[in-house]
PDB file of all heavy atoms in Angstrom:
ATOM      1  N   ILE F 145      -6.066   0.124  12.308  1.00 98.00           N
ATOM      2  CA  ILE F 145      -7.111   0.942  12.933  1.00 98.00           C
ATOM      3  C   ILE F 145      -6.700   2.392  12.885  1.00 98.00           C
ATOM      4  O   ILE F 145      -5.527   2.739  13.109  1.00 98.00           O
ATOM      5  CB  ILE F 145      -7.297   0.544  14.419  1.00 98.00           C
ATOM      6  CG1 ILE F 145      -7.627  -0.959  14.544  1.00 98.00           C
ATOM      7  CG2 ILE F 145      -8.409   1.392  15.082  1.00 98.00           C
ATOM      8  CD1 ILE F 145      -7.535  -1.465  15.954  1.00 98.00           C
ATOM      9  N   ARG F 146      -7.678   3.270  12.600  1.00 98.00           N
ATOM     10  CA  ARG F 146      -7.414   4.722  12.631  1.00 98.00           C
ATOM     11  C   ARG F 146      -8.571   5.434  13.324  1.00 98.00           C
ATOM     12  O   ARG F 146      -9.750   5.212  12.977  1.00 98.00           O
ATOM     13  CB  ARG F 146      -7.236   5.263  11.209  1.00 98.00           C
ATOM     14  CG  ARG F 146      -5.951   4.745  10.587  1.00 98.00           C
ATOM     15  CD  ARG F 146      -5.354   5.654   9.561  1.00 98.00           C
ATOM     16  NE  ARG F 146      -4.007   5.172   9.217  1.00 98.00           N
ATOM     17  CZ  ARG F 146      -2.905   5.590   9.777  1.00 98.00           C
ATOM     18  NH1 ARG F 146      -2.945   6.582  10.671  1.00 98.00           N
ATOM     19  NH2 ARG F 146      -1.717   5.103   9.442  1.00 98.00           N
ATOM     20  N   LYS F 147      -8.215   6.285  14.306  1.00 98.00           N
ATOM     21  CA  LYS F 147      -9.200   7.048  15.055  1.00 98.00           C
ATOM     22  C   LYS F 147      -8.648   8.467  15.252  1.00 98.00           C
ATOM     23  O   LYS F 147      -8.116   8.803  16.329  1.00 98.00           O
ATOM     24  CB  LYS F 147      -9.498   6.397  16.405  1.00 98.00           C
ATOM     25  CG  LYS F 147     -10.122   5.024  16.278  1.00 98.00           C
ATOM     26  CD  LYS F 147     -10.544   4.456  17.642  1.00 98.00           C
ATOM     27  CE  LYS F 147     -11.225   3.110  17.497  1.00 98.00           C
ATOM     28  NZ  LYS F 147     -11.715   2.592  18.806  1.00 98.00           N
ATOM     29  N   PRO F 148      -8.735   9.328  14.245  1.00 98.00           N
ATOM     30  CA  PRO F 148      -8.195  10.694  14.379  1.00 98.00           C
ATOM     31  C   PRO F 148      -8.911  11.505  15.454  1.00 98.00           C
ATOM     32  O   PRO F 148     -10.135  11.417  15.613  1.00 98.00           O
ATOM     33  CB  PRO F 148      -8.409  11.283  13.003  1.00 98.00           C
ATOM     34  CG  PRO F 148      -9.535  10.489  12.388  1.00 98.00           C
ATOM     35  CD  PRO F 148      -9.384   9.126  12.941  1.00 98.00           C
ATOM     36  N   ALA F 149      -8.154  12.326  16.154  1.00 95.00           N
ATOM     37  CA  ALA F 149      -8.735  13.182  17.201  1.00 95.00           C
ATOM     38  C   ALA F 149      -9.592  14.292  16.581  1.00 95.00           C
ATOM     39  O   ALA F 149     -10.662  14.634  17.096  1.00 95.00           O
ATOM     40  CB  ALA F 149      -7.629  13.776  18.054  1.00 95.00           C
ATOM     41  N   ASN F 150      -9.095  14.858  15.495  1.00 96.00           N
ATOM     42  CA  ASN F 150      -9.831  15.943  14.806  1.00 96.00           C
ATOM     43  C   ASN F 150      -9.808  15.654  13.318  1.00 96.00           C
ATOM     44  O   ASN F 150      -8.881  16.048  12.614  1.00 96.00           O
ATOM     45  CB  ASN F 150      -9.179  17.294  15.095  1.00 96.00           C
ATOM     46  CG  ASN F 150      -9.215  17.679  16.549  1.00 96.00           C
ATOM     47  OD1 ASN F 150     -10.268  17.902  17.116  1.00 96.00           O
ATOM     48  ND2 ASN F 150      -8.042  17.720  17.166  1.00 96.00           N
ATOM     49  N   GLY F 151     -10.814  14.948  12.862  1.00 98.00           N
ATOM     50  CA  GLY F 151     -10.855  14.596  11.448  1.00 98.00           C
ATOM     51  C   GLY F 151     -11.783  13.455  11.179  1.00 98.00           C
ATOM     52  O   GLY F 151     -12.754  13.262  11.887  1.00 98.00           O
ATOM     53  N   ALA F 152     -11.476  12.675  10.135  1.00 98.00           N
ATOM     54  CA  ALA F 152     -12.341  11.594   9.709  1.00 98.00           C
ATOM     55  C   ALA F 152     -11.537  10.541   8.976  1.00 98.00           C
ATOM     56  O   ALA F 152     -10.334  10.748   8.688  1.00 98.00           O
ATOM     57  CB  ALA F 152     -13.479  12.104   8.823  1.00 98.00           C
ATOM     58  N   VAL F 153     -12.158   9.422   8.685  1.00 98.00           N
ATOM     59  CA  VAL F 153     -11.496   8.367   7.940  1.00 98.00           C
ATOM     60  C   VAL F 153     -12.412   7.951   6.762  1.00 98.00           C
ATOM     61  O   VAL F 153     -13.621   8.215   6.782  1.00 98.00           O
ATOM     62  CB  VAL F 153     -11.210   7.112   8.804  1.00 98.00           C
ATOM     63  CG1 VAL F 153     -10.192   7.444   9.864  1.00 98.00           C
ATOM     64  CG2 VAL F 153     -12.492   6.584   9.454  1.00 98.00           C
ATOM     65  N   ALA F 154     -11.791   7.354   5.755  1.00 98.00           N
ATOM     66  CA  ALA F 154     -12.548   6.816   4.625  1.00 98.00           C
ATOM     67  C   ALA F 154     -11.857   5.558   4.140  1.00 98.00           C
ATOM     68  O   ALA F 154     -10.636   5.381   4.339  1.00 98.00           O
ATOM     69  CB  ALA F 154     -12.614   7.840   3.494  1.00 98.00           C
ATOM     70  N   SER F 155     -12.617   4.674   3.513  1.00 98.00           N
ATOM     71  CA  SER F 155     -12.039   3.425   3.036  1.00 98.00           C
ATOM     72  C   SER F 155     -12.441   3.168   1.595  1.00 98.00           C
ATOM     73  O   SER F 155     -13.388   3.769   1.083  1.00 98.00           O
ATOM     74  CB  SER F 155     -12.504   2.244   3.890  1.00 98.00           C
ATOM     75  OG  SER F 155     -13.896   2.033   3.751  1.00 98.00           O
ATOM     76  N   TYR F 156     -11.680   2.263   0.980  1.00 98.00           N
ATOM     77  CA  TYR F 156     -11.999   1.831  -0.383  1.00 98.00           C
ATOM     78  C   TYR F 156     -11.548   0.391  -0.513  1.00 98.00           C
ATOM     79  O   TYR F 156     -10.402   0.066  -0.216  1.00 98.00           O
ATOM     80  CB  TYR F 156     -11.302   2.707  -1.423  1.00 98.00           C
ATOM     81  CG  TYR F 156     -11.730   2.426  -2.850  1.00 98.00           C
ATOM     82  CD1 TYR F 156     -12.843   3.048  -3.401  1.00 98.00           C
ATOM     83  CD2 TYR F 156     -11.027   1.524  -3.636  1.00 98.00           C
ATOM     84  CE1 TYR F 156     -13.245   2.794  -4.698  1.00 98.00           C
ATOM     85  CE2 TYR F 156     -11.424   1.262  -4.954  1.00 98.00           C
ATOM     86  CZ  TYR F 156     -12.546   1.912  -5.470  1.00 98.00           C
ATOM     87  OH  TYR F 156     -12.953   1.637  -6.753  1.00 98.00           O
ATOM     88  N   ILE F 157     -12.454  -0.466  -0.964  1.00 98.00           N
ATOM     89  CA  ILE F 157     -12.138  -1.865  -1.187  1.00 98.00           C
ATOM     90  C   ILE F 157     -12.152  -2.139  -2.672  1.00 98.00           C
ATOM     91  O   ILE F 157     -13.163  -1.868  -3.344  1.00 98.00           O
ATOM     92  CB  ILE F 157     -13.139  -2.813  -0.451  1.00 98.00           C
ATOM     93  CG1 ILE F 157     -13.114  -2.513   1.053  1.00 98.00           C
ATOM     94  CG2 ILE F 157     -12.798  -4.272  -0.740  1.00 98.00           C
ATOM     95  CD1 ILE F 157     -11.781  -2.778   1.739  1.00 98.00           C
ATOM     96  N   HIS F 158     -11.047  -2.666  -3.181  1.00 96.00           N
ATOM     97  CA  HIS F 158     -10.906  -2.881  -4.620  1.00 96.00           C
ATOM     98  C   HIS F 158     -10.869  -4.359  -4.968  1.00 96.00           C
ATOM     99  O   HIS F 158     -10.391  -5.182  -4.190  1.00 96.00           O
ATOM    100  CB  HIS F 158      -9.588  -2.189  -5.070  1.00 96.00           C
ATOM    101  CG  HIS F 158      -9.357  -2.221  -6.539  1.00 96.00           C
ATOM    102  ND1 HIS F 158     -10.263  -1.767  -7.464  1.00 96.00           N
ATOM    103  CD2 HIS F 158      -8.276  -2.657  -7.273  1.00 96.00           C
ATOM    104  CE1 HIS F 158      -9.779  -1.911  -8.677  1.00 96.00           C
ATOM    105  NE2 HIS F 158      -8.582  -2.450  -8.583  1.00 96.00           N
TER     106      HIS F 158
END
Side-chain angles (χ1 to χ4, degrees):
I145 304 167
R146 292 207 169 266
K147 297 186 177 184
N150 297 293
V153 294
S155 66
Y156 188 86
I157 301 297
H158 185 53

